[in-house]
Amino acid sequence: MCFSTSLRKNREEIEKKLLSQMPANFKIPLEYEPYYHLNGFTHGNFYIIKMDEQESIYPASWGLVPDWAKQDPKSFLKKSNTLNARSETIFEKSSFKQSAEEKRCLILADGFYEPHHENGLSIPYFCYQPSEEYPEGDLFMFAGLYTELDDNLFTATIITIEANDFFSEVHNKKKRMPLVLAEDLYEDWLDDGSNSQTLNELMAHGFTSNKFQAHPVSRDLYKKGINTNKPYIVVPVEKNTLF
């Protein structure tokens, strides 16, 4: 599962970073605002790079609405949780099948939150990739699927896979993790010539080799009526359990 993410870098930092990975610029630059905590259940915008326009970054509402539900997306989202798509079933489920075949995307992030269960309590952990340039968390890409509801109006979902050893300790109940792609597989994920067999192999083996770190953060993340889109929400709490 992955229902909360962060993208704390400014537009210039992101576009500069992408120059060495997959050059792309924000299509609507004035609309972009960094965030410390995006809660998927609010269906706010994160940012994607699409198969058919790989040089552009677009906002997309989190929670995929399939083409057959686009006439009433609010009703669909009330009944269906499409914030994540399990890699094992994206070519089978009607909500995801067409997008898996024709509309794959990369989703920009520099962190995400997972629940860690301990003594009957769910503790949110912030997960990130430290680097020399960004010790607080470098930019990475989730594998995703998208749909287009109208001109430049997109919805998207994050692919999840079985957790590796590290994330089995973090997300120790469901043991799932979002598919953070290795940089050398970005183009393969967006390749319109890839078939389901190739994509299934990519999802099974394409998780980045870059190391993640994780630490516990405030349980405000789980509380209603609190604005957690603030810097404090990524700061480690006193519980010093670090993976």
Side-chain angles (χ1 to χ4, degrees):
M1 297 188 302
C2 179
F3 297 150
S4 296
T5 67
S6 69
L7 185 57
R8 296 160 287 165
K9 291 164 184 54
N10 62 42
R11 179 174 57 84
E12 291 79 12
E13 288 176 308
I14 292 170
E15 291 178 344
K16 179 181 178 182
K17 180 71 177 181
L18 290 178
L19 286 175
S20 62
Q21 299 177 348
M22 174 165 280
N25 296 301
F26 283 87
K27 191 70 173 181
I28 314 171
L30 295 180
E31 185 175 314
Y32 173 70
E33 290 186 6
Y35 49 86
Y36 291 88
H37 175 216
L38 175 64
N39 180 349
F41 291 100
T42 67
H43 303 297
N45 287 338
F46 49 25
Y47 291 85
I48 70 171
I49 297 174
K50 306 184 293 141
M51 280 178 63
D52 61 353
E53 195 176 340
Q54 298 179 22
E55 70 281 1
S56 298
I57 303 167
Y58 282 94
S61 178
W62 192 355
L64 186 141
V65 177
D67 287 346
W68 49 263
K70 66 170 56 177
Q71 298 303 318
D72 193 357
K74 288 185 179 181
S75 293
F76 173 81
L77 291 172
K78 282 183 180 179
K79 299 175 183 176
S80 306
N81 179 355
T82 54
L83 301 178
N84 294 167
R86 294 174 66 93
S87 64
E88 298 89 343
T89 57
I90 60 171
F91 291 104
E92 301 168 10
K93 292 204 168 184
S94 61
S95 294
F96 302 132
K97 185 177 186 297
Q98 184 176 358
S99 291
E101 294 172 347
E102 302 174 0
K103 293 182 178 179
R104 298 181 299 278
C105 65
L106 301 170
I107 300 169
L108 283 66
D110 63 10
F112 59 95
Y113 302 81
E114 292 287 7
H116 176 76
H117 291 83
E118 189 172 321
N119 299 322
L121 189 68
S122 180
I123 303 167
Y125 269 66
F126 181 64
C127 309
Y128 61 102
Q129 285 182 343
S131 67
E132 288 187 11
E133 185 177 9
Y134 294 108
E136 77 286 357
D138 214 330
L139 185 71
F140 57 81
M141 303 274 202
F142 298 121
L145 310 175
Y146 77 97
T147 58
E148 185 168 3
L149 300 186
D150 205 343
D151 289 343
N152 295 337
L153 181 61
F154 305 102
T155 70
T157 185
I158 294 173
I159 302 288
T160 67
I161 58 176
E162 184 178 349
N164 60 19
D165 290 344
F166 177 85
F167 282 105
S168 289
E169 290 190 57
V170 179
H171 194 184
N172 58 342
K173 193 171 184 179
K174 296 289 187 180
K175 297 186 183 294
R176 300 287 295 180
M177 64 182 182
L179 176 51
V180 179
L181 280 175
E183 291 179 19
D184 61 350
L185 295 177
Y186 291 168
E187 291 185 2
D188 292 339
W189 180 249
L190 300 182
D191 184 358
D192 61 7
S194 296
N195 59 31
S196 60
Q197 180 179 349
T198 299
L199 293 167
N200 280 325
E201 290 177 0
L202 187 156
M203 289 186 289
H205 305 291
F207 193 83
T208 180
S209 61
N210 293 340
K211 299 299 182 184
F212 270 90
Q213 291 185 10
H215 58 247
V217 296
S218 171
R219 294 191 79 249
D220 285 358
L221 196 84
Y222 297 149
K223 298 175 183 177
K224 295 182 179 180
I226 297 177
N227 180 10
T228 51
N229 186 21
K230 293 185 177 182
Y232 86 93
I233 203 61
V234 302
V235 175
V237 296
E238 289 184 5
K239 182 180 180 302
N240 293 317
T241 302
L242 296 172
F243 291 115

